[in-house]
């Protein structure tokens, strides 16, 4: 089957479509690696950038090094809506190339700057393009996939991020443990250079939205259901990151395994994310509501199970696999929900999902660090994560309850709306 291309009347062959999708997913691979590699290298970052504190209290140094993860997450939160709204009119391919250039430069700066404070700033700056890239790449992928496959298009781009957790993060973590964390970040910068070349060669030209303005895009923030959807991701996803941020000390201090086991555990988390992402994409095209409810329940059960069994290697591996799978399955569903309820503000809606998830990243990392610094140990972030995920499912009940009340009154609910027709059929309830 041939798909039309924005390059003109030329039709894209299936091979060209696949290459374009792989190029977009490669960007997700680079982003997933740069975002999550700090989790596995947290003790290395703490020892190198905070040597005095690490000599006195390794736990306190690890907790403070977690700020690097929080800074990255906050950069995503700030950059996603700002760039997506300001650049909604830009041709999508050109915007993706600009964002990849920014990723490359920010990652190189992270590797080369000498002090904790400067690296903290560099991680914030490097994160600014994150949400906008995933948002725009998801719109391009959904257009390439065709009608009725929106969530699967989103999942394909996110698939690069999840595969990064199987291959990229463990490999770069191993490299960082043996050659230094700075070399690890330089290797990530190479991934972004390769992505730039792949996008330039294979992704077809697509216009931006000529009717889009920053004012129109920002109207999404005036809709209550948008705030509910953001809250689901911002709070509920804290369950994943409360665990993932401190996975290295969890492995060594609670399970009692050597540091060389950390890349293996990260790989297991990544495998869970790969499975969950694609399962979630398929299920979200059938029912966003049931996908969100089902996988939040699974994540809560997995978090409680991990807290009770992390002393055993099998308990640790099973727990982190299920947490990664359930959290990753939620991502395309939450993004579909945002795109449904945002109506015509599609660019900002596609990007806001990543702002929300990275608020969860920052929240989980911060609260977990507070608990560890207060002396509650490395199991405490897991219980915090279970609480955050419980709030996430309660917010989901709230937003879908509003839809149900609207249907009972004969009002329109945001499924299959015209506003999402530009990227395929709207997701069903």
């Amino acid at each position: 089957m041939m798909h039309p291309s924005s390059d003109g009347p030329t039709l894209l062959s299936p091979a060209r479509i696949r290459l374009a999708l792989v190029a977009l997913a490669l960007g997700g691979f680079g982003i997933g690696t740069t975002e999550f590699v700090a989790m596995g290298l947290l003790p290395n970052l703490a020892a190198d950038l905070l040597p005095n504190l690490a000599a006195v209290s390794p736990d306190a140094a690890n907790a403070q090094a977690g700020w690097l993860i929080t800074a990255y997450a906050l950069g995503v939160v700030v950059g996603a809506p700002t760039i997506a709204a300001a650049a909604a009119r830009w041709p999508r391919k050109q915007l993706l190339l600009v964002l990849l250039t920014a990723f490359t430069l920010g990652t190189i700066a992270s590797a080369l700057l000498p002090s904790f404070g400067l690296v903290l700033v560099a991680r914030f700056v490097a994160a600014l393009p994150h949400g906008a890239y995933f948002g725009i790449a998801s719109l391009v992928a959904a257009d390439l996939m065709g009608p009725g496959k929106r969530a699967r298009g989103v999942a394909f781009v996110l698939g690069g991020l999840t595969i990064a957790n199987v291959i990229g993060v463990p490999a770069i973590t191993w490299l960082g443990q043996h050659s230094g964390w700075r070399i690890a970040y330089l290797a990530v910068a190479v991934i972004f250079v390769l992505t730039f070349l792949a996008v330039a060669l294979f992704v077809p030209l697509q216009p931006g939205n000529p009717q889009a303005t920053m004012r129109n895009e920002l109207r999404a923030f005036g809709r209550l259901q948008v705030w509910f959807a953001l809250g689901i991701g911002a709070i509920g996803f804290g369950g994943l990151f409360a665990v993932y941020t401190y996975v290295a000390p969890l492995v060594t201090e609670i399970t009692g395994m050597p540091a060389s086991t950390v890349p293996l555990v990260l790989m297991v988390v990544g495998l869970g994310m790969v499975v969950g992402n694609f399962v979630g994409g398929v299920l979200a095209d059938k029912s966003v509501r049931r996908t969100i409810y089902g996988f939040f329940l699974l994540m809560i059960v997995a978090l409680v199970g991990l807290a009770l069994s992390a002393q055993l290697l099998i308990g640790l591996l099973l727990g982190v696999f299920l947490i990664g799978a359930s959290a990753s399955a939620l991502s395309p569903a939450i993004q579909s929900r945002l795109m449904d309820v945002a109506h015509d503000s599609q660019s900002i809606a596609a990007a806001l999902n990543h702002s929300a998830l990275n608020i969860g990243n920052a929240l989980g990392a911060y609260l977990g660090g507070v608990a560890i610094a207060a002396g509650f140990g490395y199991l405490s972030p897991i219980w915090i994560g279970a609480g955050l995920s419980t709030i996430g499912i309660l917010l989901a009940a709230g937003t879908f309850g509003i839809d149900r009340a609207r249907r009972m009154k004969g009002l329109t609910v945001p499924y299959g709306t015209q506003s999402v027709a530009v990227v395929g059929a709207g997701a069903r309830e």
Side-chain angles (χ1 to χ4, degrees), residues 42-308:
L42 199 66
N44 307 77
L45 289 160
D48 186 50
L49 293 172
L50 301 165
N52 295 332
L53 181 60
V56 176
S57 173
D59 287 357
N62 284 338
Q64 187 169 330
W67 296 359
L68 295 169
I69 297 164
T70 302
Y72 186 94
L74 293 177
V76 179
V77 173
V78 173
T82 305
I83 297 173
R89 290 188 178 186
W90 285 30
R92 290 172 178 169
K93 178 174 180 176
Q94 283 84 337
L95 178 55
L96 290 173
L97 293 174
V98 169
L99 296 173
L100 288 166
T101 301
F103 271 127
T104 304
L105 296 176
T107 305
I108 291 172
S110 300
L112 299 181
L113 290 172
S115 69
F116 178 78
L118 290 175
V119 174
L120 194 72
V121 172
R123 296 313 295 152
F124 176 86
V125 173
L128 292 173
H130 177 125
Y133 177 88
F134 273 122
I136 299 303
S138 294
L139 292 174
V140 173
D143 183 71
L144 291 169
M145 292 287 285
K149 299 179 180 179
R150 179 185 58 182
R152 274 166 280 187
V154 171
F156 200 99
V157 176
L158 291 173
L161 185 150
T162 59
I163 292 172
N165 286 278
V166 180
I167 301 172
V169 174
I172 299 297
T173 298
W174 180 88
L175 177 65
Q177 288 176 338
H178 290 82
S179 302
W181 66 268
R182 295 183 187 276
I183 297 298
Y185 276 105
L186 289 175
V188 175
V190 172
I191 297 173
F192 285 125
V193 172
L194 295 175
T195 304
F196 181 97
L197 296 174
V199 170
L201 288 172
F202 301 123
V203 173
L205 295 175
Q206 284 192 5
N209 182 356
Q211 283 76 44
T213 65
M214 180 173 281
R215 181 176 181 180
N216 288 340
E217 289 290 317
L218 293 177
R219 283 178 181 170
F221 289 109
R223 299 186 175 100
L224 176 62
Q225 290 287 55
V226 168
W227 286 104
F228 264 107
L230 290 173
I232 292 170
I235 299 177
F237 254 68
L240 168 65
F241 291 110
V243 175
Y244 203 1
T245 301
Y246 302 102
V247 69
L250 180 67
V251 170
T252 56
E253 302 300 322
I254 300 298
T255 313
M257 301 300 293
S260 58
T261 309
V262 173
L264 170 64
V265 176
L266 292 173
M267 188 178 296
V268 171
V269 178
L271 286 170
M273 288 184 172
V274 171
V275 173
N277 177 61
F278 287 104
V279 171
V282 172
L283 294 180
D285 275 330
K286 297 178 180 179
S287 173
V288 168
R289 177 176 60 86
R290 288 195 292 271
T291 301
I292 290 176
Y293 280 149
F295 284 103
F296 259 129
L297 286 173
L298 177 60
M299 185 154 68
I300 293 167
V301 170
L303 284 160
V304 172
L306 177 62
L308 297 176

